[in-house]
Amino acid sequence: MELGLRRLTVLGHEIRAAVRPGTEPGPPLLLCNGIGASLDLLQPFVDALDPRIGVVRFDVPGVGGSPDPRLPYNFPLLALGVGAMMTRLGFDEYDVLGISWGGGLAQQVAFQQPRRCRRLVLVSTATGSLMVPAAPGVLRKMVTPQRYRDADYAVQVAAELYGGRMRDRPDDVRGLMHAHSRVGSRRGYLLQLLAGAGWSSLPGLPFLRQPTLILAGDDDPIIPLANARIMARLIPRARLHVYADGHLGLVTSADVLAPLVADFLRPA
């Protein structure tokens, strides 16, 4: 499937984006990816999503095909850039889906752009610095981008990091993270880590206006399930769905989760 790749300059930064037009009118779905992951990683989910729904993906500065930023950034600044990018692409209103690190960015977009962000989908994510943390061994492996740079290492740690289907088929991570994904710089990965340092959505969750779908795996070593339950209690218009998979369930269980997302975005 052709990605519909674009090169945009947003707030002085060059951004690689991909747009899949929907076959019917309506707000597109903006995808915010996990730390270190390029927009290519979510291709299985995009392929499984109802073609009536348009999709916008992008690489944050320093990741995938987006060059390193000149200066560090934080979630509020990045959310501002996301809004500017969507304006450049011609979208006044959109839905937002964030996975893992991108779930933090998605929450920030919802806070900052309540009139433009219509619906919110949070997948395998939490509330930032104030959350139920992963085990220390998992956190240590998340500090570096080695799993994106070394396919053999990615297979070695797949079960421990991602859980779910990766426990039985760890070699599948080669196809997901190395066959087509583009690797960003080490500096870009570090800046992503710094962007979320000290950030927490926890105090603001009761004030989120958007209808929110929370998707969480029952075997996610990186984001323990308790985090999703906390968010579901605090967000006024939230609905929680627990699926039988791990941290990468959005792509490894795309055939199950994509229809759920589509039904939430385009209710009958």
Side-chain angles (χ1 to χ4, degrees):
M1 176 179 291
E2 185 175 346
L3 288 175
L5 289 174
R6 312 276 185 91
R7 289 282 179 180
L8 306 169
T9 300
V10 178
L11 302 184
H13 298 291
E14 183 182 341
I15 298 294
R16 174 181 177 244
V19 179
R20 185 193 80 174
T23 60
E24 292 185 0
L29 177 62
L30 170 67
L31 303 183
C32 301
N33 217 331
I35 191 167
S38 72
L39 61 83
D40 314 272
L41 181 64
L42 294 181
Q43 190 65 48
F45 172 76
V46 175
D47 290 342
L49 188 66
D50 189 331
R52 294 177 297 171
I53 301 171
V55 180
V56 177
R57 289 173 285 169
F58 69 102
D59 290 335
V60 301
V63 174
S66 294
D68 283 357
R70 293 184 296 275
L71 298 171
Y73 57 87
N74 56 23
F75 274 157
L77 183 60
L78 192 55
L80 181 66
V82 164
M85 177 186 73
M86 296 302 282
T87 298
R88 287 282 308 277
L89 292 172
F91 301 116
D92 293 325
E93 184 183 48
Y94 42 89
D95 301 318
V96 181
L97 180 153
I99 177 172
S100 195
W101 181 94
L105 175 57
Q107 291 171 71
Q108 187 66 41
V109 169
F111 287 133
Q112 287 183 216
Q113 302 169 31
R115 296 182 184 276
R116 300 186 68 185
C117 175
R118 188 188 68 134
R119 288 176 178 256
L120 182 63
V121 183
L122 301 175
V123 187
S124 305
T125 194
T127 56
S129 58
L130 300 176
M131 62 172 283
V132 178
V138 171
L139 292 175
R140 281 196 298 270
K141 292 177 176 62
M142 293 293 294
V143 172
T144 75
Q146 185 179 355
R147 64 194 184 282
Y148 289 108
R149 297 177 172 275
D150 183 338
D152 290 335
Y153 177 77
V155 172
Q156 177 185 332
V157 301
E160 181 184 1
L161 280 187
Y162 304 122
R165 296 187 179 184
M166 287 295 170
R167 294 196 186 278
D168 297 323
R169 305 199 309 265
D171 202 63
D172 286 0
V173 80
R174 294 183 190 272
L176 286 176
M177 296 176 62
H178 291 270
H180 304 290
S181 293
R182 299 180 60 169
V183 178
S185 69
R186 294 181 186 277
R187 181 172 181 268
Y189 191 90
L190 175 61
L191 290 177
Q192 273 195 287
L193 283 175
L194 291 175
W199 176 90
S200 176
S201 64
L202 197 63
L205 291 183
F207 304 101
L208 273 178
R209 296 170 49 179
Q210 294 86 351
T212 302
L213 174 63
I214 300 171
L215 300 176
D218 63 0
D219 180 20
D220 185 344
I222 296 176
I223 307 289
L225 179 57
N227 291 285
R229 299 196 188 281
I230 291 169
M231 290 192 297
R233 284 182 174 273
L234 292 177
I235 299 173
R237 303 173 69 187
R239 176 165 99 227
L240 172 62
H241 176 82
V242 180
Y243 56 85
D245 204 339
H247 191 70
L248 295 179
L250 194 66
V251 289
T252 55
S253 294
D255 58 331
V256 174
L257 297 185
L260 287 175
V261 172
D263 288 345
F264 173 69
L265 299 179
R266 301 284 193 273

